[in-house]
Amino acid sequence: MSNRSETRTSRVTVRLIALQILVFSLLLTLGGRLWYLQIRNGQEYANEARNNHVQQVVDPATRGSILDARGVPLADNQTRLVVSASRTALLKMKDDGKAVLGQLAKVLGMPEKDIRNKVRLCDSKTPQPCWNGSPYQPIPITDKATTQQALQIRERSEDFPGISAEPTAVRRYAAPGDANTAQVLGYLSPVTDEEINKAKNTRSPLLRSDQIGRSGLERQYDDYLRGKAAVTRYEVDNLGRVIGQAKSDKGQAGSSVVTSIDARVQAIAEKQLDQAMKDARKVHDRNTGTNYKADSGAVVVMEAKTGRVVAMASNPTYDPNAWVGGISGKDYARLTGKDSNYPLLNRAIQGQAAPGSIFKVISTSAAINAGYDFDGHYPCTSSYSIGGQVFKNFEGEGHGDISLGRALEVSCDTVFYRLSHDEWKKDGGDKPKKNANDWFYKTAHQFGLGKETGIDLPNEVKGRVPDRKWKHDFWRANKAGWCEQAKAWPKKKDFGTKLAREGCLEGMKLHAYDSINYAIGQGDTLVTPIQMATIYAALANGGTLHDPTVGKAVVSPDGKHIQMIKPKAHGKLPDTPTTLKQIDSALAGVATRGTAAWRFQGWPQDKIPMHAKTGTAEVYGKQTTSWFATYTKDFTIVMTISQGGTGSGASGPAVRNIYNALYGVDPKGEINPKAALLPKPQASLPKIEGDGTIQAQPIKPYVLPSPSPSGSPQ
C-alpha cells in the first residue's frame, strides 16, 4: 500500500515540476519579447504608435488652368457635387458593401453593376472601368450628382456608410468655340501606389488623393499644374477623439499654363479636317473600285518664324471630359477597343506614314548638295525602268527636259528616280563603298527626319529614314521569320511569300528600287505631320529648324511669377541661302501654276505669297495617303488624311479655308483685316490681374464665308 502511495506521490511531483518548467519558460519567453519590444525596438514602435494617433485630412490643390494664347480656358475647374465611396469602409461590412452600393445605385439612377465596377481595383486581369488609384483613397462614383441626390445621401448617412457627397473642384475641358483640342490637352486619372513610391524623393511628391496627367499638356506640365495639397494633421486618442493639432502643410494651387494655341484657329482646323475627311469619303477611288475610306487625319498650324503651334488637330477625336470622375466601361471600350480607331492617339505627333511628294524638297536639296545644278535640264519622262521593273510618273505624264524647280512644281517623279538611282550607283550599288556619300539619306537626317522634333508633348515618335544601317538592322531583326516563311517557296508564290524570300536572301541590302522609291517619299520612309511642319516652317523662315512648342508661359497662382517658355532651335537646313531661295520660288510656283494651283485660284498672291507642295503616298494594301504642305511668311500648315486620295484633292480645300480664316480672305480673293483671325504676336501674353486672374478675350465661333457663285475652289 505504501509503495503505491509513494509511486502516486512521485508522479504528482514530476507533473508539478514539469508544469513549473512550462510556466517558467512561458514567463521567460514573454519577458524576452517584452524586452525586445520595449528596450531593443522600443523607440521604433513608440514612433509607430504615435503615428497611429495622427490622422491627416487632405484638401486637394486646385489644378492650374490651361489657356489659349488669348487667355481663353481650354482646361479649367468647376465645382460639382461628387459622390465617392470609401473602399476600406465597404470591405469592413459583412457583404463587402453590396447592399449599400445597391441603395446608392437607386438614388443615383445608375446601374448597380457600373458602380461596383468603379470601386474594384485595377490589375492586369481586370478590365476597365476599375480604380487604378490607391485603395485607401475615396473613389469617385459620379461627378454629376444633383443637389437632391447629394442631400439624400448626406441626410440618410446611416443608410450610406462609407459614401460621401461633397462639392469638389472637378476638371473641365471647356472646348471654347467648339475647339475640342483633346489630344493636345490630354486627360487626368488617379495616381497609383507605384507612382507615389517613385515620386517620394522628388521635388514634387505625390499624395494618394492626387490626380495626374496621363497624356498631352496635362502630362507634360503636370508638375506645374498639379500644385500642392493642404494637409492638416490631428492628434487623436485611441477612441478617435481629437486631442490636438500636429504640424500641417500649407497648400498651394497649381500654376496656369498659357499656350500658343488660338482657340479660334483650333476650331477652324478641327472642323476643316473633319469636313475634308467626310468629303473624301464621297469620292470614288478608281484603283479599288470603292470610295475613299479617309479613316484618320491630322493638321498642324504653326508659326513659321518660331515653331510655336497655333493649332493641332487629330481625327478621330474624343471628349476628354469622359475621363473626369472615372470613365465608364462603355466609354473606355469606345476609346480603346480594336474597333475604336484609337482616338486617344495624337496623329500629328504619333501618326507615321510615307510622305509622298512633299518629301521632294529634301530630295531636291540632296541633289544640289551632291553637285547637281538646280537650273539644269533633267528628263521628265512618263516612266523609268531598271532591270525588269517600270516606275511610272504620276498618271504616266511626261514634261520633257525640265529644271529641278519645275520638277517640284509639276511633281515629276521620274526626275527624282534618275537622280537617286545615279547616286546609288556612284555609292557602289548593292556593294556600297566604304565611305559612300549617301546624299539622299544623309540630307534627310540633316532635315531632322528619323528623330523627334522636340515638341513639348509626350510620346512623340521618330519616324524612319530607311538608310543602309536601318536596312541591315531591320534584316537582322526579321531574318528568322522571313526565312521560315520563305520555305513555302516555290509551292506558294503569293506576294507575301515572295517578299519574305527576298527579305531572307537579300534583306540587308539597299537595292536600286529602294533608293528610287525613297526619292519620292515612298517605300519604307515614315514621317509625322509635326516633322514635315517643322521642315516647311524652316523653308519659310530661312532655314532654322525649331523645336515646336505648345506651351508659351507658366504663370504662378498669384500672377507674380511668370516663366516664359522660349522657342528653341535644334538645327539648320543643309542648304545655302541661294538654294533656299530657289526652292522657295519653286514652291510658290506649285501654288500658282503647279499641282496646287487649282486650289489657290483667286488667292491674293501679290499680297500674301503662298507656297505649297502636294503629296499622294501609296501604301501597300491601303488607299493612298493625302498630304498637303504649305507656308506663307507667317504660318505653316500641313495636313494629311489616311486613305484620303490625292494631296490637293482631299486636303487642299481644307487648308485653303484655314488660310482664308487666318488672313480674312473672302471667296473673291479680297482681304478683310477685320475678319482675319491673325493670332497676337507669339511673344505676348494675355492680361494678368493683380490677384493672378488671367483675362480672357471674347471668343466667337468663326463662320467661313460661302463660296462665290463662280465656284472658285475653296
Side-chain angles (χ1 to χ4, degrees):
M1 188 74 176
S2 61
N3 289 336
R4 291 180 180 177
S5 178
E6 290 176 2
T7 301
R8 189 179 294 113
T9 301
S10 177
R11 289 176 179 173
V12 171
T13 301
V14 171
R15 289 174 180 172
L16 287 173
I17 292 171
L19 184 61
Q20 288 175 348
I21 293 172
L22 178 61
V23 171
F24 180 76
S25 298
L26 290 173
L27 289 172
L28 186 63
T29 301
L30 181 60
R33 183 61 176 166
L34 288 173
W35 174 85
Y36 181 83
L37 293 175
Q38 294 184 2
I39 306 301
R40 178 162 182 177
N41 280 19
Q43 188 62 42
E44 176 185 346
Y45 285 102
N47 291 337
E48 288 193 12
R50 278 195 294 270
N51 288 337
N52 288 337
H53 289 284
V54 175
Q55 298 292 335
Q56 63 181 27
V57 176
V58 178
D59 184 13
T62 300
R63 193 171 178 87
S65 298
I66 301 176
L67 310 169
D68 89 336
R70 302 166 74 246
V72 178
L74 300 172
D76 58 5
N77 307 286
Q78 65 178 176
T79 301
R80 297 186 192 174
L81 287 170
V82 177
V83 176
S84 303
S86 167
R87 180 179 171 82
T88 304
L90 294 175
L91 292 179
K92 289 180 180 179
M93 302 174 193
K94 291 182 179 180
D95 62 351
D96 293 335
K98 290 181 180 179
V100 172
L101 294 180
Q103 291 184 70
L104 183 62
K106 293 177 182 178
V107 172
L108 296 178
M110 295 175 62
E112 186 176 343
K113 182 181 178 182
D114 288 357
I115 293 179
R116 288 181 182 176
N117 287 345
K118 284 196 172 189
V119 299
R120 64 185 177 180
L121 300 182
C122 293
D123 57 31
S124 58
K125 297 180 181 179
T126 304
Q128 287 280 353
C130 57
W131 179 248
N132 70 339
S134 168
Y136 307 105
Q137 179 182 339
I139 302 173
I141 303 298
T142 180
D143 61 2
K144 298 178 177 65
T146 65
T147 303
Q148 184 177 0
Q149 290 169 338
L151 286 174
Q152 285 187 62
I153 294 168
R154 298 183 72 171
E155 290 178 357
R156 295 164 48 198
S157 58
E158 69 279 0
D159 295 333
F160 297 100
I163 306 299
S164 62
E166 301 290 342
T168 307
V170 175
R171 201 63 165 166
R172 179 186 71 146
Y173 298 96
D178 294 330
N180 180 250
T181 330
Q183 292 86 357
V184 175
L185 294 173
Y187 58 92
L188 306 176
S189 72
V191 66
T192 65
D193 285 344
E194 182 181 353
E195 288 166 335
I196 291 173
N197 292 330
K198 189 176 180 180
K200 269 184 179 178
N201 298 319
T202 66
R203 72 177 183 88
S204 185
L206 295 166
L207 297 175
R208 296 189 187 280
S209 58
D210 282 334
Q211 297 256 328
I212 62 174
R214 294 298 178 192
S215 67
L217 294 170
E218 292 279 30
R219 176 176 169 182
Q220 186 74 23
Y221 293 100
D222 184 72
D223 285 354
Y224 297 103
L225 291 165
R226 188 174 358 107
K228 183 181 179 182
V231 180
T232 305
R233 298 179 179 86
Y234 296 98
E235 294 181 359
V236 298
D237 61 17
N238 57 356
L239 296 178
R241 295 174 298 195
V242 176
I243 59 176
Q245 187 168 336
K247 183 180 178 181
S248 299
D249 299 331
K250 290 184 178 180
Q252 183 178 359
S255 298
S256 292
V257 174
V258 180
T259 72
S260 55
I261 297 291
D262 188 306
R264 304 168 304 168
V265 182
Q266 178 71 26
I268 288 288
E270 290 175 5
K271 290 174 184 176
Q272 288 302 313
L273 174 62
D274 186 62
Q275 189 61 50
M277 293 170 63
K278 289 177 180 176
D279 291 343
R281 295 180 194 127
K282 300 174 185 177
V283 178
H284 186 73
D285 178 9
R286 63 187 181 186
N287 293 322
T288 62
T290 61
N291 285 6
Y292 286 105
K293 295 179 181 178
D295 53 1
S296 62
V299 60
V300 177
V301 182
M302 180 185 290
E303 190 187 45
K305 295 177 183 178
T306 65
R308 292 196 186 277
V309 176
V310 177
M312 177 183 285
S314 179
N315 194 306
T317 189
Y318 69 100
D319 181 2
N321 288 299
W323 294 90
V324 177
I327 192 167
S328 69
K330 182 179 180 181
D331 284 341
Y332 188 81
R334 183 173 56 82
L335 296 179
T336 63
K338 64 179 181 179
D339 297 326
S340 68
N341 202 13
Y342 309 107
L344 298 179
L345 191 70
N346 185 349
R347 286 172 165 82
I349 66 170
Q350 297 171 300
Q352 303 180 104
S357 292
I358 67 169
F359 184 83
K360 287 175 181 173
V361 293
I362 299 171
S363 295
T364 300
S365 294
I368 295 170
N369 291 339
Y372 296 90
D373 183 4
F374 185 88
D375 293 319
H377 297 282
Y378 306 96
C380 178
T381 55
S382 60
S383 64
Y384 184 73
S385 300
I386 56 166
Q389 289 182 288
V390 178
F391 296 84
K392 293 184 178 181
N393 204 11
F394 183 68
E395 296 189 345
E397 190 175 5
H399 294 274
D401 285 358
I402 58 176
S403 67
L404 286 178
R406 184 60 179 162
L408 282 174
E409 291 178 8
V410 299
S411 203
C412 180
D413 293 337
T414 51
V415 166
F416 296 99
Y417 288 154
R418 281 185 173 84
L419 293 173
S420 183
H421 189 205
D422 286 347
E423 285 304 301
W424 175 82
K425 288 186 288 187
K426 289 179 182 178
D427 288 333
D430 284 334
K431 298 178 180 179
K433 298 176 182 177
K434 185 175 182 181
N435 295 312
N437 287 315
D438 283 335
W439 281 112
F440 278 74
Y441 299 95
K442 182 189 300 182
T443 303
H445 285 294
Q446 291 171 329
F447 268 70
L449 296 184
K451 59 184 178 183
E452 297 96 337
T453 62
I455 189 170
D456 54 342
L457 289 174
N459 301 320
E460 181 188 5
V461 299
K462 296 181 179 180
R464 182 167 69 204
V465 177
D467 52 19
R468 297 182 193 276
K469 182 181 184 305
W470 177 85
K471 284 283 289 186
H472 191 269
D473 292 345
F474 191 67
W475 171 74
R476 289 184 62 183
N478 293 278
K479 179 184 177 183
W482 285 338
C483 293
E484 181 63 29
Q485 185 179 350
K487 290 179 181 178
W489 189 272
K491 293 182 180 180
K492 188 178 180 182
K493 293 189 175 182
D494 63 294
F495 186 69
T497 306
K498 180 182 178 182
L499 285 180
R501 183 170 181 267
E502 291 177 358
C504 175
L505 298 175
E506 297 184 325
M508 78 296 289
K509 295 181 179 181
L510 186 68
H511 296 287
Y513 59 79
D514 289 323
S515 287
I516 285 174
N517 276 323
Y518 168 79
I520 62 165
Q522 295 280 179
D524 293 312
T525 310
L526 292 176
V527 301
T528 64
I530 194 65
Q531 287 176 326
M532 298 313 294
T534 302
I535 287 171
Y536 276 79
L539 291 170
N541 67 35
T544 301
L545 290 162
H546 285 102
D547 294 4
T549 51
V550 182
K552 187 191 288 189
V554 177
V555 182
S556 65
D558 58 9
K560 295 179 180 178
H561 302 283
I562 300 174
Q563 180 181 334
M564 295 299 297
I565 302 168
K566 297 181 180 179
K568 297 179 181 178
H570 61 256
K572 298 281 289 185
L573 295 182
D575 295 317
T576 65
T578 299
T579 299
L580 288 173
K581 287 181 181 179
Q582 290 170 326
I583 293 176
D584 183 79
S585 177
L587 296 178
V590 174
T592 55
R593 56 182 178 270
T595 56
W598 68 302
R599 289 305 187 194
F600 285 106
Q601 289 181 22
W603 179 261
Q605 188 74 9
D606 57 331
K607 298 181 178 67
I608 309 170
M610 178 65 65
H611 306 75
K613 187 70 194 80
T614 58
T616 307
E618 296 180 359
V619 182
Y620 175 69
K622 292 186 177 183
Q623 296 168 312
T624 54
T625 300
S626 167
W627 285 91
F628 205 51
T630 61
Y631 65 85
T632 62
K633 66 175 182 177
D634 305 302
F635 302 105
T636 297
I637 301 178
V638 172
M639 180 178 285
T640 182
I641 300 175
S642 170
Q643 303 197 88
T646 64
S648 59
S651 301
V655 171
R656 169 69 186 266
N657 278 336
I658 297 172
Y659 277 117
N660 286 346
L662 284 169
Y663 288 103
V665 177
D666 67 18
K668 296 180 180 179
E670 296 178 358
I671 301 173
N672 180 3
K674 293 183 179 180
L677 295 185
L678 283 171
K680 278 192 163 190
Q682 291 293 307
S684 67
L685 288 176
K687 185 178 180 182
I688 302 172
E689 301 292 349
D691 61 355
T693 304
I694 300 176
Q695 291 296 317
Q697 295 186 35
I699 180 169
K700 295 179 181 179
Y702 182 87
V703 179
L704 283 165
S706 301
S708 62
S710 62
S712 59
Q714 298 297 308

